[in-house]
Amino acid sequence: MTGVTRAGVKATVGSAVLLLVAACSTPTASPPTTRPSTPSSPTSTAPTSTAPPVDLSSLRQGTVPAAYPEPDLGGLPPKPADSKPLRERIGWEALEKVTRFANRVDPGARPSCPTLDPGRTTTLTCTVTFLGEKYDYVLRNIKFQGNGISDGRNEQGTISYNAALTSGPIVRDHVESVLRHQNSTEYVACDMPEHLRFEFSSTKRRPSGSSIAGQWIHVPGISCRYLDPKARTIKTVPLELYEWGAPIHPSSRIGG
């Protein structure tokens, strides 16, 4: 993982020796006849802290982003012109959806769409290969409205459809970067591989009583840990995402 290192804690124990030197001499005068005063009690010292150091060895250290880490989609291929074949334009759309969910560009990603007959096809599945995994982009309720203009083989018109991903890529680097920004901490670790393919299935839920627009996705079995720089303790939060892939700050979700 580029730019991320594991952080460890090393306690260094130092010691100092204080030498007490007593000077002895023969008294030149008789001892005092008055009764010596009672020695005062030893000066009390403040108790030293016994709090154990925070073990950061299981966390990854990284730079705290100054702003929310937005996806940089500059590495995507150019969007096809309207004159390009429909399957090519829909394929680019599928690639853009997968890339936005991952919040990362994969230079080797490739979309693939079957041939589409706008007058007959009602459902279509495109596939995007991204970071070595395959993601389906499903088009439903495809409807074609011709405008009466034809070249003898193809008719011009407009097409409408409903489309959505059935799974999405979750990239650990991005999730951890967001947590660093949101919690102002360098030390974070999410218990997951560098990236994984996550099936949405029935995990989308709308939080009851939440002010968050849309839905959020709970990713079961994965949690993230981070160092709270103020409390100096390690906190654990579940991995939850907005439906478009951005991690949710734990304190911004209400109810659920």
Side-chain angles (χ1 to χ4, degrees):
M1 184 183 309
T2 305
V4 178
T5 60
R6 286 193 173 272
V9 173
K10 182 178 180 180
T12 301
V13 179
S15 62
V17 178
L18 178 63
L19 299 179
L20 300 180
V21 181
C24 300
S25 62
T26 303
T28 58
S30 300
T33 57
T34 58
R35 185 177 181 180
S37 59
T38 304
S40 58
S41 301
T43 304
S44 60
T45 58
T48 58
S49 174
T50 58
V54 180
D55 182 6
L56 303 177
S57 61
S58 65
L59 304 181
R60 283 176 283 274
Q61 184 181 16
T63 303
V64 179
Y68 187 92
E70 297 288 351
D72 180 7
L73 305 184
L76 279 176
K79 183 178 181 180
D82 292 343
S83 58
K84 294 294 185 179
L86 183 59
R87 60 185 293 187
E88 185 176 332
R89 287 181 281 154
I90 295 177
W92 186 92
E93 179 182 304
L95 173 60
E96 191 258 356
K97 295 292 185 184
V98 172
T99 303
R100 281 194 179 276
F101 191 91
N103 289 276
R104 171 179 169 179
V105 173
D106 174 16
R110 295 290 182 271
S112 175
C113 289
T115 301
L116 170 64
D117 183 347
R120 297 180 179 179
T121 305
T122 58
T123 303
L124 184 77
T125 299
C126 296
T127 301
V128 177
T129 303
F130 187 92
L131 296 176
E133 300 286 347
K134 295 185 181 299
Y135 298 90
D136 288 341
Y137 186 63
V138 181
L139 281 66
R140 296 182 174 87
N141 303 321
I142 300 174
K143 297 178 181 179
F144 175 73
Q145 180 64 49
N147 58 15
I149 301 176
S150 174
D151 61 3
R153 296 180 59 186
N154 301 299
E155 183 182 2
Q156 295 183 5
T158 59
I159 184 173
S160 62
Y161 51 81
N162 299 321
L165 293 170
T166 60
S167 60
I170 301 176
V171 178
R172 186 183 67 193
D173 275 358
H174 176 69
V175 176
E176 292 184 349
S177 182
V178 171
L179 287 176
R180 286 190 180 96
H181 168 71
Q182 292 172 333
N183 296 285
S184 300
T185 182
E186 295 181 1
Y187 300 93
V188 171
C190 291
D191 300 323
M192 59 178 288
E194 291 187 6
H195 59 84
L196 60 84
R197 179 179 179 275
F198 179 66
E199 293 284 349
F200 298 151
S201 62
S202 60
T203 58
K204 281 190 175 183
R205 295 180 291 170
R206 183 185 301 276
S208 59
S210 173
S211 59
I212 300 175
Q215 294 177 316
W216 53 271
I217 302 170
H218 172 66
V219 185
I222 297 178
S223 60
C224 296
R225 290 166 289 113
Y226 67 92
L227 172 68
D228 185 327
K230 293 182 178 179
R232 297 299 298 174
T233 58
I234 295 177
K235 295 184 177 180
T236 302
V237 293
L239 178 55
E240 293 171 343
L241 312 171
Y242 288 106
E243 59 184 339
W244 54 87
I248 299 176
H249 189 286
S251 64
S252 68
R253 182 174 60 79
I254 305 173

